[in-house]
């Protein structure tokens, strides 16, 4: 990936855009609960910034990148690679929470039998390094990540302590919907039973079974596509097209076939949460009025109630990690698990740590409010609504009009809808399959980070324009692999052989990271990020010459700080225009007729005038390609 020479000028104007949080647009026609006051939602200065690292890849300095390469060939990152210098570099981005992805011990094709760990079968493992979402032992961490696998848990505890020492909190994944096909905990505490240990395997379903079964049928490995063989075809004693499982269990995505398809989550088995095969519930329902009740009320509701065994097992797992010092969780595919379970689990967590950060992956917008209000999640991905529409606008076939509509529809829950442009599931901005140019992420990231009071998430390497341009084995180009041993080239240049000083970055990559540092620190530190929001996009679409659906403009403010944010997501300049701030918003700012000064906030290189006439504001602007502005009213 090569950034164009105009990046510096772009960064200067783009930096401005990085300001305040999402707001309270006018209520849409559909009745929704009243939006929470922003002051009750987050800390007074700024908002949360989550930095997702793929732990296995973050510290790897090996540049071999051989497809299907082994750990010895391609290298692997360790907990110890998160040195004080590395953590300081993460903290520089305004980060409040580090999501260490891939920490719980998952299936991996490597011989750790010397440590009492059973071998994993390539026929039911995706990639050589394995998927972090096929957890094999919930009471320990991946042996790949430790300098001494025998002390892997202690090494992770040391990482928790280092992260806390740098003023950041620790998140890890919890994947309740499914576990590895060969799940077996060798680290569970005394008195804790393994998943499936007491299951009645003669029936498809029993409430306190941990798994679903296909009685009388043995599991069969999927039929491989013509272009696929486990480990890329490399011989392995267990890669024989067989895996011993009788009776067969349902697959993690719900497939009830003894031989799942290749596109099914065949490496996992589905957990039974008391949902009968016909979809009905075998546990007490949570009354609808609990959407308005406190977390303490939710906890009280479940006391003394008989709940499915899997609920209790996951309660014990999360409390184990909370007790170790983990500060919260990212829940994988939360919508595939009943909302009542989340009420039970999250209320138990909050009894122990009221400040725990609970983030869930939910992709069905009609379920958002249930998982927030009944399931007691703190935050959900705003993927299907905000991310998708912003991505389409970046690619040139979407409209910023849609972003305004999304914010309107989220008015009552906007604080809880986490924003991002990259994560391990999504394509890299710089990949040809997404935008093909990391610069296009600048105005988009500014929009994503400033339009809402919700947390913002970055994915490691995003801030230096990583393009994920190669096939890694099971992992394919455009997404940084989560299945293989691999090096992340642009990120490795920032690592600079373990110095974590950016010394090997190109000029363009260095300027890009500088932009992200300025933007994300602004979002984490400025009070208007938790203030009011008003869009001025519709008014300018209707009345401002040259203003079109590749621009976005809105206001963020508190009594002390007032910001005008303008972004151009198109790689083309606009003629001079007079941006309008409608009378309603001028009145909200308490301005009278006269002239005012607006200054940009990330680079300090631009001042423009705001003229208020007859109660309406006019701001003359000339917008460069991909220009973005955060302009603050000077008092």
């Amino acid at each position: 990936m090569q950034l164009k020479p105009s990046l510096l000028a772009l960064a200067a104007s783009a930096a401005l855009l990085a300001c305040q949080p999402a707001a309270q647009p006018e209520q849409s026609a559909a009745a929704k609960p009243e939006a929470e006051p922003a002051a009750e939602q987050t800390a007074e200065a700024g908002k949360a910034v989550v930095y997702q690292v793929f732990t296995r890849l973050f510290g790897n300095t090996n540049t071999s990148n051989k497809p299907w390469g082994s750990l010895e060939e391609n290298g692997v990152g360790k907990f110890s690679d998160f040195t004080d210098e590395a953590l300081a570099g993460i903290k520089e981005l305004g980060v409040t929470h580090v999501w260490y992805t891939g920490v719980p011990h998952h299936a991996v094709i490597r011989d750790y039998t010397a440590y009492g760990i059973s071998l994993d079968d390539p026929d039911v493992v995706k990639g050589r390094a394995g998927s972090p979402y096929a957890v094999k032992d919930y009471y320990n961490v991946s042996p790949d990540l430790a300098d001494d696998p025998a002390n892997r848990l202690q090494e992770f505890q040391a990482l928790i302590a280092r992260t806390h020492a740098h003023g950041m909190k620790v998140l890890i994944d919890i994947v309740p919907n499914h576990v590895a096909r060969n799940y077996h905990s060798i680290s569970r505490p005394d008195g804790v039973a393994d998943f499936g240990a007491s299951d009645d395997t003669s029936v498809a379903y029993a409430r306190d079974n941990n798994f679903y079964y296909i009685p009388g049928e043995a599991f069969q490995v999927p039929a491989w596509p013509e272009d696929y063989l486990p480990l890329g075809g490399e011989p392995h004693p267990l890669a024989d097209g067989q895996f011993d499982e009788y009776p067969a269990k349902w697959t993690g995505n719900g497939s009830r076939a003894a031989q799942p398809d290749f596109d099914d989550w065949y490496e996992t088995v589905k957990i039974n949460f008391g949902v009968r095969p016909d979809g009905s519930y075998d546990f007490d329902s949570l009354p609808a009025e609990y959407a308005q009740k406190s977390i303490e009320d939710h906890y009280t509701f479940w006391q003394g109630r008989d709940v499915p065994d899997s609920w209790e097992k996951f309660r014990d797992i999360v409390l184990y990690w909370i007790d170790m010092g983990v500060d919260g969780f990212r829940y994988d595919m939360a919508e595939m698990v009943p909302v009542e379970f989340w009420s039970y689990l999250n209320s138990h967590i909050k009894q122990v740590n009221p400040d725990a950060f609970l983030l869930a992956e939910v992709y069905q917008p009609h379920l958002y409010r249930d998982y927030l209000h009944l399931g007691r999640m703190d935050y959900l991905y705003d993927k299907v609504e905000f991310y998708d529409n912003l991505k389409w606008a970046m690619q040139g076939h979407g409209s910023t009009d849609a972003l305004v509509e999304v914010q309107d529809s989220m008015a009552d829950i906007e604080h809880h809808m986490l924003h991002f442009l990259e994560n391990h599931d999504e394509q890299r901005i710089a990949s040809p399959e997404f935008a093909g140019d990391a610069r296009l992420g600048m105005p988009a990231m500014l929009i994503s980070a400033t339009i809402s009071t919700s947390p913002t998430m970055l994915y490691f390497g995003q801030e230096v324009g990583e393009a994920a341009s190669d096939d890694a084995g099971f992992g394919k180009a455009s997404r940084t692999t989560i299945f293989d041993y691999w090096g992340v080239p642009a990120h490795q240049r920032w690592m600079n052989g373990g110095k974590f000083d950016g010394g090997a970055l190109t000029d363009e990559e260095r300027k890009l990271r500088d932009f992200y540092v300025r933007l994300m620190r602004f979002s984490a530190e400025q009070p208007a990020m938790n203030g009011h929001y008003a869009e001025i996009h519709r008014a300018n679409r209707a009345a401002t010459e040259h203003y079109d659906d590749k621009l976005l403009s809105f206001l963020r403010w508190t009594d002390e700080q007032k910001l005008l944010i303008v972004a151009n997501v198109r790689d083309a300049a606009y003629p001079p225009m007079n941006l309008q701030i409608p009378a309603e918003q001028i009145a909200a700012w308490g301005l009278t007729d006269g002239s005012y000064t607006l200054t940009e906030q990330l680079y300090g290189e631009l001042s423009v005038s705001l003229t208020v006439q007859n109660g309406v504001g006019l701001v003359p602007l000339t917008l460069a390609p991909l220009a973005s502005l955060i302009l603050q009213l000077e008092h």
Side-chain angles (χ1 to χ4, degrees):
M1 181 276 304
Q2 291 294 326
L3 300 179
K4 297 181 181 178
S6 57
L7 176 59
L8 181 58
L10 266 171
S13 57
L16 308 173
L17 170 64
C19 216
Q20 315 306 326
Q24 327 295 344
E26 294 180 4
Q27 203 68 345
S28 62
K32 301 182 180 71
E34 185 177 351
E36 300 173 28
E40 296 178 8
Q41 296 173 340
T42 55
E44 290 184 2
K47 59 180 184 174
V49 176
V50 178
Y51 190 75
Q52 182 191 5
V53 295
F54 201 82
T55 315
R56 179 202 305 149
L57 304 182
F58 179 87
N60 184 20
T61 58
N62 188 310
T63 59
S64 299
N65 283 357
K66 174 187 174 182
W68 291 104
S70 67
L71 184 152
E72 288 76 15
E73 292 168 319
N74 284 354
V76 69
K78 304 287 186 179
F79 292 134
S80 59
D81 293 320
F82 291 90
T83 61
D84 287 330
E85 292 79 11
L87 291 167
I90 293 173
K91 180 66 174 178
E92 187 182 18
L93 287 156
V95 172
T96 57
H97 296 74
V98 184
W99 167 17
Y100 291 104
T101 306
V103 165
H105 182 183
H106 58 79
V108 55
I109 305 305
R110 184 169 172 76
D111 188 346
Y112 286 108
T113 54
Y115 303 95
I117 299 169
S118 61
L119 292 173
D120 292 314
D121 188 329
D123 291 304
V124 288
V125 175
K126 291 181 176 177
R128 185 186 296 272
S131 168
Y133 298 103
V135 175
K136 177 177 178 175
D137 186 347
Y138 258 119
Y139 286 100
N140 216 318
V141 299
S142 171
D144 271 354
L145 302 177
D147 294 314
D148 178 2
N151 293 320
R152 58 194 184 276
L153 199 57
Q154 291 86 346
E155 291 187 31
F156 179 59
Q157 290 172 301
L159 175 57
I160 294 173
R162 288 198 303 278
T163 307
H164 287 167
H166 283 267
M168 298 179 291
K169 296 186 176 182
V170 171
L171 310 179
I172 65 170
D173 288 283
I174 296 292
V175 191
N177 179 64
H178 50 273
V179 294
R181 195 125 226 149
N182 57 336
Y183 186 94
H184 174 59
S185 175
I186 62 171
S187 306
R188 64 188 187 276
D190 292 342
V192 172
D194 224 358
F195 282 104
S198 301
D199 280 9
D200 177 358
T201 62
S202 68
V203 295
Y205 167 85
R207 195 199 70 156
D208 289 319
N209 276 359
N210 297 135
F211 303 126
Y212 299 92
Y213 295 92
I214 308 170
E217 294 190 55
F219 172 79
Q220 298 180 62
V221 169
W224 306 130
E226 290 184 4
D227 62 350
Y228 176 79
L229 285 173
L231 305 183
E234 178 183 314
H236 186 282
L238 296 180
D240 56 3
Q242 299 181 53
F243 180 74
D244 185 16
E245 178 183 289
Y246 185 88
K249 302 180 182 75
W250 289 16
T251 293
N253 63 328
S255 170
R256 306 183 187 189
Q259 183 179 31
D261 291 335
F262 180 71
D263 291 332
D264 289 327
W265 303 347
Y266 63 83
E267 79 280 24
T268 67
V269 291
K270 187 169 181 61
I271 295 288
N272 167 25
F273 283 92
V275 180
R276 302 182 184 95
D278 65 4
S280 61
Y281 288 171
D282 206 354
F283 49 80
D284 291 339
S285 296
L286 188 66
E289 61 265 25
Y290 273 75
Q292 308 300 326
K293 290 186 179 291
S294 70
I295 194 75
E296 291 79 12
D297 290 331
H298 281 250
Y299 178 76
T300 300
F301 177 84
W302 294 111
Q303 299 313 296
R305 292 182 185 268
D306 185 25
V307 298
D309 183 74
S310 295
W311 293 29
E312 295 178 340
K313 280 188 166 64
F314 272 102
R315 177 203 62 199
D316 293 344
I317 288 165
V318 296
L319 294 183
Y320 168 85
W321 291 108
I322 290 287
D323 184 62
M324 190 174 294
V326 168
D327 302 291
F329 305 104
R330 180 268 191 187
Y331 295 132
D332 186 77
M333 294 306 296
E335 64 198 303
M336 298 182 76
V337 179
V339 74
E340 281 85 353
F341 164 75
W342 294 114
S343 166
Y344 171 87
L345 188 75
N346 291 338
S347 63
H348 278 78
I349 291 171
K350 295 286 189 175
Q351 287 296 308
V352 177
N353 180 1
D355 297 323
F357 188 103
L358 306 177
L359 167 64
E361 184 183 29
V362 175
Y363 293 141
Q364 299 183 71
H366 73 279
L367 297 178
Y368 287 169
R369 289 166 180 83
D370 281 350
Y371 278 79
L372 289 171
H373 302 317
L374 291 173
R376 301 302 306 192
M377 298 297 183
D378 292 325
Y379 305 104
L380 308 178
Y381 279 19
D382 200 345
K383 193 275 182 194
V384 173
E385 299 272 325
F386 200 84
Y387 165 88
D388 281 348
N389 280 288
L390 186 51
K391 180 177 182 178
W392 297 330
M394 294 167 66
Q395 293 174 325
H397 54 79
S399 168
T400 53
D401 295 348
L403 300 176
V404 176
E405 295 172 4
V406 169
Q407 284 305 106
D408 280 358
S409 70
M410 298 292 175
D412 59 311
I413 58 171
E414 61 84 26
H415 173 68
H416 303 281
M417 302 305 298
L418 174 135
H419 285 181
F420 61 87
L421 281 182
E422 289 188 358
N423 64 45
H424 69 277
D425 285 321
E426 305 301 339
Q427 294 169 327
R428 292 287 194 174
I429 297 166
S431 70
E433 294 82 357
F434 186 155
D437 187 338
R439 297 177 314 127
L440 273 72
M442 296 167 69
M445 195 67 208
L446 286 162
I447 292 170
S448 184
T450 62
I451 199 170
S452 171
T453 66
S454 68
T456 307
M457 186 168 74
L458 297 178
Y459 189 37
F460 86 112
Q462 177 183 345
E463 70 274 21
V464 289
E466 172 59 34
S469 56
D470 296 313
D471 290 351
F474 197 93
K476 302 305 178 186
S478 84
R479 294 172 176 84
T480 294
T481 179
I482 67 170
F483 306 105
D484 309 282
Y485 297 113
W486 201 248
V488 183
H491 170 71
Q492 288 177 324
R493 290 191 286 275
W494 174 70
M495 289 172 56
N496 192 24
K499 295 178 182 177
F500 297 97
D501 61 2
L505 292 173
T506 66
D507 287 345
E508 291 82 3
E509 290 166 344
R510 190 174 295 110
K511 293 166 188 173
L512 184 66
R513 178 177 164 88
D514 179 64
F515 163 75
Y516 272 93
V517 167
R518 293 170 186 264
L519 166 62
M520 301 317 302
R521 288 185 65 171
F522 191 93
S523 75
E525 295 170 0
Q526 296 301 313
M529 295 300 288
N530 289 320
H532 302 285
Y533 157 92
E535 59 88 6
I536 58 173
H537 177 79
R538 290 188 180 102
N540 282 282
R541 287 277 277 135
T544 300
E545 186 178 10
H546 306 306
Y547 188 105
D548 63 16
D549 70 345
K550 297 301 181 284
L551 296 175
L552 187 66
S553 56
F554 52 91
L555 307 176
R556 303 308 315 274
W557 76 96
T558 64
D559 290 343
E560 296 78 23
Q561 186 178 41
K562 296 175 174 60
L563 300 163
L564 164 63
I565 300 173
V566 186
N568 171 16
V569 301
R570 181 166 56 190
D571 194 5
Y574 280 82
M577 66 180 69
N578 284 311
L579 195 76
Q580 297 191 24
I581 303 180
E584 180 181 359
Q585 280 72 48
I586 290 293
W589 279 14
L591 301 183
T592 58
D593 284 6
S595 183
Y596 303 85
T597 298
L598 300 168
T599 59
E600 68 93 359
Q601 293 301 292
L602 298 189
Y603 293 87
E605 296 178 352
L606 176 68
S607 293
V608 297
S609 63
L610 163 61
T611 302
V612 179
Q613 291 182 323
N614 299 319
V616 175
L618 293 175
V619 180
L621 290 177
T622 301
L623 297 172
L626 299 176
S628 303
L629 304 174
I630 299 176
L631 299 168
Q632 178 170 294
L633 179 71
E634 299 301 324
H635 295 283

